[in-house]
Amino acid sequence: VDYYMQSLPLWQKLNDERGVAIIYGNIADVFRKQNNFTIAIEYNNKAAAISEKIGDKEGIIYSLMTGGEILSMQSKYSEANDYFGKALNIAGDIDSKKSMKDIYKLMAKNNESSGNILSAYKYYKQYTEIKDSIFNEERSKQISEMQTKYETEKKQQEIDRQQTVIEKRNYL
């Protein structure tokens, strides 16, 4: 927390509102992990307000997720689900699969903690599907890049071979 507190005036001096919101969010997360919910909520609300003001959808999602986690840790499961639901809607609007994955995982954990095992299973299943989808997209991209690299090298070898043939002809 000390380092975040020390860096905060620097971000403020730079007038980097997104940076300030991120620092507030990180401070909130530290206090959440320390079970100091009052201070965590205070900093999370500051982060949320700035993210709303500047239209930072990812920042809003992060604040809603942190708020939901705080509520879940306080056994306020229904309220936590509301926060996660709002975050999920925004993540869907901006097609942020990574955020959706993280939210579904939090929703599964929250519902499991509340004893709602069927909902927990449903959310865990959605988490797994998105996680697998992201993995498959990354693998497909890697395969495509490798294929492009292979084809480029193959074409370069053919060009080099043809260049050698031309040089031999010109030499004779």
Side-chain angles (χ1 to χ4, degrees), residues 74-104:
Q74 295 175 312
S75 301
K76 298 177 181 177
Y77 304 116
S78 179
E79 291 177 60
N81 274 337
D82 291 343
Y83 273 65
F84 296 141
K86 290 175 187 175
L88 189 60
N89 286 336
I90 297 169
D93 289 345
I94 64 172
D95 196 32
S96 176
K97 288 183 181 178
K98 184 201 176 303
S99 292
M100 292 171 70
K101 173 186 69 88
D102 295 340
I103 295 163
Y104 279 128

Side-chain angles (χ1 to χ4, degrees), residues 1-9 27 30-31:
V1 174
D2 293 336
Y3 292 118
Y4 290 134
M5 293 295 196
Q6 290 173 15
S7 70
L8 188 58
I27 293 169
V30 169
F31 283 115

Side-chain angles (χ1 to χ4, degrees), residues 113-125:
S113 296
S114 73
N116 192 343
I117 303 304
L118 285 175
S119 288
Y121 174 73
K122 178 183 90 170
Y123 292 126
Y124 187 78
K125 194 172 172 186

Side-chain angles (χ1 to χ4, degrees), residues 30-155:
V30 169
F31 283 115
R32 176 191 61 80
K33 289 176 182 173
Q34 295 173 349
N35 294 328
N36 193 336
F37 302 126
T38 304
I39 297 175
I41 290 168
E42 176 187 333
Y43 280 98
N44 193 57
N45 288 344
K46 288 180 181 184
I50 293 171
S51 295
E52 284 279 348
K53 177 183 166 194
I54 63 175
D56 178 11
K57 300 283 188 190
E58 287 289 342
I60 295 166
I61 291 168
Y62 183 78
S63 293
L64 288 166
M65 288 169 57
T66 300
E69 285 182 281
I70 293 167
L71 291 165
S72 184
M73 292 172 76
Q74 295 175 312
S75 301
K76 298 177 181 177
Y77 304 116
S78 179
E79 291 177 60
N81 274 337
D82 291 343
Y83 273 65
F84 296 141
K86 290 175 187 175
L88 189 60
N89 286 336
I90 297 169
D93 289 345
I94 64 172
D95 196 32
S96 176
K97 288 183 181 178
K98 184 201 176 303
S99 292
M100 292 171 70
K101 173 186 69 88
D102 295 340
I103 295 163
Y104 279 128
K105 187 175 182 181
L106 289 171
M107 292 175 90
K109 182 180 174 185
N110 183 59
N111 280 275
E112 180 184 19
S113 296
S114 73
N116 192 343
I117 303 304
L118 285 175
S119 288
Y121 174 73
K122 178 183 90 170
Y123 292 126
Y124 187 78
K125 194 172 172 186
Q126 289 172 303
Y127 156 75
T128 303
E129 288 172 4
I130 289 183
K131 182 180 76 161
D132 290 347
S133 171
I134 291 169
F135 177 80
N136 289 336
E137 286 175 11
E138 290 172 355
R139 288 291 164 242
S140 292
K141 184 178 176 184
Q142 288 175 341
I143 289 169
S144 177
E145 288 171 357
M146 289 174 63
Q147 199 168 19
T148 301
K149 183 178 177 185
Y150 171 76
E151 289 172 6
T152 302
E153 288 176 359
K154 191 174 173 183
K155 286 179 184 178

